[in-house]
Amino acid sequence: MRFKFFRGAGFVALALAATGAMAQPVVTVDAEHLGAQVSPRLYGIFFEEINHAGDGGLYAELVQNRSFEDDAERPVHWKALGGAVASLTTDGMLNDRQAHALRLNLKGLGSGVQNEGYWGMSFRQQTDYTFSAWVKAETAYKGDLIVTLSGADGRNLGQTTVPLKLKAGRWTQIKDVPVRATGSDPEGRLTLTFNNPGTLTMDVVSLFPPTYKGRKNGCRIDLAELLEALHPKFMRFPGGCYVEGQTTPRNNLHNRFEWKNTIGPIEQRPGHLSVNWGYNITDGFGYHEMLQLAEDLGAEPLFVVNVGLGHGWMQPYNQLEDYIQEALDAIEYANGDAKTTKWGALRAQNGHPEPFGLRLLEVGNENANFYFDTNQDQSEHYFERYIQFYRAIKEKYPEVEIIGNVESWGTDEPSWRSEHPVDILDEHYYRSPSWFEKNFTKYDSYDRQGPKIYIGEYAVTQGYGVNGHLTAALGEAIYMQGLERNSDLVIMGSYAPIFVNEHNPAWRPDMIRFNASQSFGTPSYHVQKIMANNIGTRIVPVSVSDNTLAPTIGHRMGFSTWGTKAEFRNLQVIGPDGSVLLKDDFVGSENKVPSDKWESFGGETDGRRRTLSQWVVEDGVLKQQNQRAEGSILLSTTQLPDEYTIHVQARRMEGNEGFIIVFGAEDDENLIWWNLGGWGNSQHAIEHMADGGKNTIGAIRGTLEEGRWYDVEVQVRGATARCMLDGKLIHEFSLPERQSLYANATLDEKSGEMIVKLVNPTRERQITKINLKGAQASQGRAIVLASESGSDENTMRAQLNVSPVEYPVSFNEPSSSVTFPVQPFSLTILRLKVK
Ligand code: AHR
């Protein structure tokens, strides 16, 4: 039985575009043997203060450097107006938590300051903004403060006058003054001017737009709603490395997140420097606000505590009393009785008398490390630290589930190397799309008697395009299918990181991108969303057959580099009969490539890449001259046959790595490359890139000398190749077949729907037969995330370029066998009503 489609024009176009050879997999969904319950906590979120995720992002405060603590020398992000002199002062602070304030010498009418916000402030017409500040006069001051919402071009977009009558030397609070916007600007400013001369000191100057759920000191609505749409079951916070902190040579502090400094009135929060992610934090979005947000999202809070370890610092493991007490107090703050406990009472005072219900606590972030070479603990006694927290917490709060760290970097097989009890283990994976694909079955063989597993952080971070493409997202989707199939064991998972303010990225990719006024999700966001919103309650066994495809091999060769200048000469490509298929002596190209023999991808004219190549030809040598270029590719325009041998000489010049020979290429996202002297000149490797996703086929240790010419030979025989360096065989390999379709299923016992999830990471349309063993489907819905190319992305200008569509599907009569055309590069979720 075939589905009938009810779809818009977009779908038809997509279906017609898929003209490639079709694979025809068969998916058997065994409704007769239902498996375990799907973990009710499976999909959650991980909020870390990184990339201005909080300050300048989710935390709705519009004023940047509101407490004047961002810089000890100057009031950065503030500009003096109308002849005013603006400087920092440390005299007569508002309280002992504030180290600096703004001293303003005013000249009279129009004199004042302006704040630029976090790369602008978004003002919307007919919206009320809330202004607050603390102010003090040196000598008695009478006059008006004029609070103006300004456009980037200086237009007045709304104004309020605040009469001031200040006694000398006394701090006065200007509290919650509404300012209505009469116009809109996505990149506005806050202007504060006065009408009388005088000397004033200001601190904690704040402007809030309306917030998510109307919370005071709350969240930016569009960003919180993007989180809400994920229906997260839990929220891990506040990091990440952010929990650990980091020292700098100039700053000997640990700079870690200390929750007690992040609660109460905002003027009581000193803020701190996040050295990890490179900016000053107000701590306005503090422990209380994070607990509050989790509650508002309907997510269980999961708090990560510091174990006395950070980047560049540590507290001896036998002196952890304060850290343990801090963790116990955090639990009491979240859960303690409002009347009988100290911290519970403070929570109530801060506006939340009911407990937050914190039951998930993680002891450390990425603090269990191990040297596999020497079989030694390198974590600075993580397990000795861990057990002290575990005992103290379980003794007082036995209901709290404790999450332990396992190795996060350097191994695919992290494990709990300790006898100590633990409820849940937190694994982290930042890998390539093909790694995630391969690990579809990772948890099938895990020990079911051991602790439960939480995938606390994961994302495709190698081969993801510019900001995250569809192929990357599909790799994650396949991995998530694997989590669902094993969610008796893997009970929780959260993608990382969530947010990036596009003006200040510290980490790529991130699943929600924003600026002051706009926000959108990458394809990874949409994967998270539709997977989480279609989760089901029971695991259903699934098997798939006929789902392999031969690898696709292109017919071009070329060159590339990675963080290094490199040179190539004497190129010849020879056919099986000895004929010369391609030859270039690299002369006569007017010092410029591409000539018509070459096409440059990621070169100066390609705006999509972050780092650009500079290919030139000089004296018979092809040179890539931009040391910063990473993976920009020069491809021959000559189409080569299936079999050929490349002969070329190459040498590495300035930079940390070697050079790269490309072959079997179709374009810059479908190719094989031999990366010589990769990974900081430590390895030679064959890497296969398919639709933007990169996979290492084989690697060996190896280095290249700088400036020395090497003879390179690559014998290409279809999907098989031999790679020789100075006549010595280095690699011999065949590209493996590709799995063309990944499937899993769950039953939603409430709605009676069989949820079948299908991921097709290939460019081929798959006419898929779904056999429902022991069930018949009568009608349903399809939710499809697809695009024409795996390298398609969303951008600020094309925010929904890759986004899911949903449509009904129906059958002529109930059936246990349905055929469905699964689109190329797609995640398809079928919700079938079954009996
Ligand atoms: O998610 C970004 C970082 O990756 C987190 O801070 C850390 O836990 C991991 O190393």
Side-chain angles (χ1 to χ4, degrees):
M1 159 116 353
R2 282 179 191 271
F3 282 103
K4 286 186 202 156
F5 295 100
F6 298 90
R7 279 295 305 262
F11 176 76
V12 174
L14 195 63
L16 293 177
T19 53
M22 290 176 200
Q24 302 199 313
V26 178
V27 175
T28 304
V29 177
D30 188 354
E32 284 172 352
H33 296 97
L34 298 183
Q37 292 290 321
V38 175
S39 165
R41 276 173 173 164
L42 186 55
Y43 294 131
I45 52 175
F46 164 44
F47 175 84
E48 174 166 23
E49 178 60 87
I50 177 174
N51 301 317
H52 284 277
D55 280 1
L58 184 62
Y59 182 46
E61 174 64 78
L62 294 173
V63 176
Q64 182 160 200
N65 192 18
R66 70 177 175 197
S67 291
F68 306 97
E69 308 299 347
D70 283 13
D71 187 283
E73 306 296 321
R74 305 180 296 123
V76 291
H77 308 296
W78 291 89
K79 173 171 108 178
L81 302 173
V85 180
S87 57
L88 290 183
T89 177
T90 53
D91 291 341
M93 290 294 97
L94 175 60
N95 56 44
D96 62 2
R97 328 259 30 218
Q98 298 298 324
H100 301 90
L102 178 73
R103 187 167 188 275
L104 264 184
N105 191 278
L106 301 166
K107 302 293 179 222
L109 187 64
S111 190
V113 276
Q114 187 173 72
N115 186 268
E116 64 192 17
Y118 291 94
W119 301 278
M121 298 179 186
S122 173
F123 297 134
R124 284 173 213 258
Q125 194 167 15
Q126 297 308 320
T127 303
D128 284 327
Y129 294 80
T130 307
F131 173 80
S132 306
W134 288 83
V135 60
K136 184 178 73 167
E138 210 163 271
T139 54
Y141 181 87
K142 198 167 168 225
D144 290 336
L145 160 63
I146 300 127
V147 180
T148 308
L149 311 181
S150 306
D153 58 1
R155 270 179 314 145
N156 177 343
L157 301 173
Q159 205 166 62
T160 296
T161 299
V162 184
L164 298 177
K165 215 170 149 192
L166 304 173
K167 292 200 176 128
R170 246 191 42 201
W171 283 101
T172 302
Q173 186 176 22
I174 301 168
K175 201 171 173 195
D176 298 339
V177 175
V179 193
R180 170 152 293 201
T182 52
S184 300
D185 195 313
E187 292 184 0
R189 313 267 186 271
L190 172 68
T191 305
L192 306 176
T193 50
F194 298 80
N195 60 357
N196 276 333
T199 302
L200 302 184
T201 307
M202 297 190 84
D203 211 350
V204 199
V205 181
S206 164
L207 185 71
F208 265 84
T211 59
Y212 179 61
K213 304 222 170 195
R215 296 281 173 211
K216 193 160 168 45
N217 196 38
C219 292
R220 189 173 135 172
I221 295 172
D222 59 333
L223 297 181
E225 284 181 349
L226 281 164
L227 296 181
E228 185 185 272
L230 297 170
H231 293 111
K233 296 295 187 339
F234 64 88
M235 175 173 141
R236 177 179 185 244
F237 63 87
C241 302
Y242 181 70
V243 168
E244 299 172 82
Q246 182 170 330
T247 52
T248 67
R250 274 186 302 155
N251 169 339
N252 212 10
L253 303 167
H254 48 55
N255 299 302
R256 70 183 176 90
F257 177 84
E258 291 179 84
W259 73 267
K260 290 180 187 174
N261 287 337
T262 74
I263 55 171
I266 57 172
E267 64 273 14
Q268 294 295 340
R269 307 185 193 190
H272 74 286
L273 175 67
S274 168
V275 180
N276 305 88
W277 305 124
Y279 55 100
N280 218 69
I281 314 292
T282 62
D283 282 321
F285 189 54
Y287 184 53
H288 186 99
E289 287 77 18
M290 294 186 207
L291 288 164
Q292 181 68 74
L293 176 66
E295 183 176 279
D296 286 346
L297 294 172
E300 262 188 86
L302 186 176
F303 185 48
V304 184
V305 300
N306 189 296
V307 289
L309 288 176
H311 298 205
W313 69 274
M314 61 152 198
Q315 172 78 4
Y317 73 94
N318 50 5
Q319 295 171 27
L320 290 178
E321 297 75 16
D322 292 351
Y323 288 77
I324 293 167
Q325 193 57 48
E326 191 178 309
L328 292 170
D329 292 346
I331 301 172
E332 186 176 296
Y333 184 90
N335 298 347
D337 184 82
K339 295 216 174 81
T340 57
T341 67
K342 172 182 165 191
W343 293 103
L346 196 56
R347 181 193 69 242
Q349 194 182 314
N350 289 337
H352 202 287
E354 293 306 315
F356 280 113
L358 174 68
R359 290 178 65 101
L360 290 164
L361 190 127
E362 181 162 356
V363 178
N365 172 67
E366 297 190 346
N367 293 136
N369 297 307
F370 197 77
Y371 260 6
F372 287 83
D373 288 359
T374 55
N375 205 30
Q376 271 174 4
D377 176 16
Q378 286 295 311
S379 59
E380 202 20 80
H381 301 271
Y382 172 73
F383 296 111
E384 285 95 327
R385 292 167 189 271
Y386 165 86
I387 193 61
Q388 298 177 57
F389 281 80
Y390 180 92
R391 287 192 183 125
I393 293 167
K394 285 285 186 185
E395 192 185 325
K396 199 159 178 207
Y397 302 106
E399 70 283 7
V400 170
E401 293 168 74
I402 307 284
I403 303 172
N405 296 172
V406 289
E407 302 91 348
S408 300
W409 299 90
T411 177
D412 287 350
E413 310 292 340
S415 65
W416 184 246
R417 296 170 179 279
S418 161
E419 293 304 307
H420 297 317
V422 62
D423 299 315
I424 304 168
L425 300 179
D426 177 8
E427 300 184 1
H428 294 181
Y429 299 103
Y430 293 104
R431 305 282 198 279
S432 65
S434 53
W435 185 93
F436 283 107
E437 240 182 273
K438 273 197 241 148
N439 283 278
F440 174 70
T441 53
K442 180 174 177 59
Y443 297 98
D444 294 7
S445 53
Y446 259 51
D447 175 12
R448 260 49 189 179
Q449 306 314 314
K452 300 289 185 197
I453 306 292
Y454 166 38
I455 315 302
E457 300 181 27
Y458 67 94
V460 166
T461 54
Q462 296 148 29
Y464 56 83
V466 181
N467 295 319
H469 55 34
L470 179 57
T471 290
L474 294 178
E476 290 149 10
I478 293 166
Y479 183 67
M480 292 167 84
Q481 290 181 295
L483 306 188
E484 282 186 14
R485 280 154 36 93
N486 289 287
S487 81
D488 58 316
L489 170 78
V490 183
I491 55 166
M492 298 156 68
S494 47
Y495 177 97
I498 300 177
F499 286 119
V500 63
N501 185 318
E502 63 170 9
H503 290 285
N504 202 330
W507 180 286
R508 276 170 198 266
D510 313 276
M511 72 165 161
I512 297 174
R513 298 184 64 79
F514 61 86
N515 57 28
S517 63
Q518 296 188 64
S519 52
F520 69 92
T522 62
S524 293
Y525 171 81
H526 292 292
V527 162
Q528 292 293 319
K529 181 170 150 186
I530 64 176
M531 292 291 282
N533 288 337
N534 295 284
I535 187 161
T537 53
R538 284 293 282 279
I539 301 169
V540 183
V542 167
S543 59
V544 190
S545 56
D546 300 329
N547 62 335
T548 49
L549 282 178
T552 321
I553 313 289
H555 294 91
R556 299 166 75 179
M557 63 78 54
F559 305 104
S560 184
T561 58
W562 198 279
T564 308
K565 294 182 183 178
E567 300 184 352
F568 306 86
R569 70 180 185 193
N570 298 332
L571 170 70
Q572 280 208 28
V573 183
I574 309 292
D577 58 356
S579 60
V580 178
L581 302 170
L582 172 65
K583 180 171 165 38
D584 201 329
D585 298 326
F586 301 114
V587 285
S589 303
E590 294 171 352
N591 285 346
K592 267 192 156 178
V593 284
S595 68
D596 55 5
K597 275 191 190 153
W598 299 99
E599 186 182 2
S600 172
F601 297 83
E604 280 157 312
T605 53
D606 185 340
R608 289 183 56 228
R609 299 273 167 181
R610 277 172 293 156
T611 42
L612 306 179
S613 56
Q614 274 168 21
W615 296 99
V616 299
V617 162
E618 253 172 38
D619 305 328
V621 178
L622 169 69
K623 302 179 175 180
Q624 199 296 103
Q625 292 193 315
N626 182 359
Q627 190 180 324
R628 292 189 310 121
E630 291 184 346
S632 303
I633 288 161
L634 189 72
L635 283 189
S636 68
T637 48
T638 309
Q639 288 287 326
L640 301 166
D642 286 346
E643 301 194 355
Y644 54 90
T645 299
I646 302 168
H647 299 272
V648 70
Q649 289 184 303
R651 64 176 175 180
R652 63 177 282 244
M653 305 303 281
E654 287 158 66
N656 293 330
E657 305 221 343
F659 45 77
I660 296 172
I661 312 295
V662 178
F663 51 98
E666 187 176 321
D667 53 33
D668 66 329
E669 280 165 352
N670 293 280
L671 51 84
I672 307 166
W673 77 23
W674 185 12
N675 184 352
L676 291 115
W679 291 268
N681 201 17
S682 67
Q683 288 183 47
H684 305 319
I686 302 294
E687 296 177 272
H688 178 215
M689 215 186 295
D691 302 308
K694 212 189 317 163
N695 189 17
T696 302
I697 304 292
I700 63 158
R701 282 184 198 277
T703 56
L704 299 178
E705 286 168 40
E706 187 176 311
R708 179 186 147 195
W709 285 106
Y710 288 88
D711 288 327
V712 179
E713 182 179 332
V714 182
Q715 301 165 1
V716 182
R717 305 290 177 265
T720 296
R722 285 160 57 85
C723 301
M724 332 269 292
L725 187 65
D726 281 343
K728 192 173 154 215
L729 182 67
I730 305 291
H731 309 276
E732 185 164 15
F733 68 92
S734 292
L735 284 189
E737 280 192 322
R738 178 131 199 236
Q739 189 163 328
S740 60
L741 190 86
Y742 293 82
N744 79 299
T746 56
L747 181 69
D748 187 330
E749 290 158 303
K750 260 200 197 145
S751 67
E753 287 165 292
M754 185 66 75
I755 305 174
V756 183
K757 296 189 173 116
L758 305 165
V759 178
N760 174 3
T762 77
R763 60 177 65 182
E764 310 295 348
R765 193 152 70 121
Q766 324 256 345
I767 304 299
T768 303
K769 190 164 171 212
I770 303 167
N771 292 326
L772 298 169
K773 228 167 117 188
Q776 287 199 323
S778 51
Q779 52 166 306
R781 281 185 294 143
I783 300 132
V784 181
L785 179 72
S787 199
E788 278 179 33
S789 162
S791 60
D792 285 350
E793 301 200 10
N794 294 333
T795 63
M796 212 43 101
R797 287 201 176 153
Q799 299 182 354
L800 296 175
N801 186 36
V802 184
S803 56
V805 291
E806 186 170 335
Y807 55 94
V809 290
S810 72
F811 311 95
N812 296 332
E813 59 197 36
S815 176
S816 57
S817 172
V818 292
T819 301
F820 191 87
V822 179
Q823 297 307 305
F825 308 117
S826 70
L827 161 60
T828 299
I829 301 179
L830 298 173
R831 296 191 70 115
L832 304 174
K833 273 267 178 214
V834 288
K835 275 204 227 127

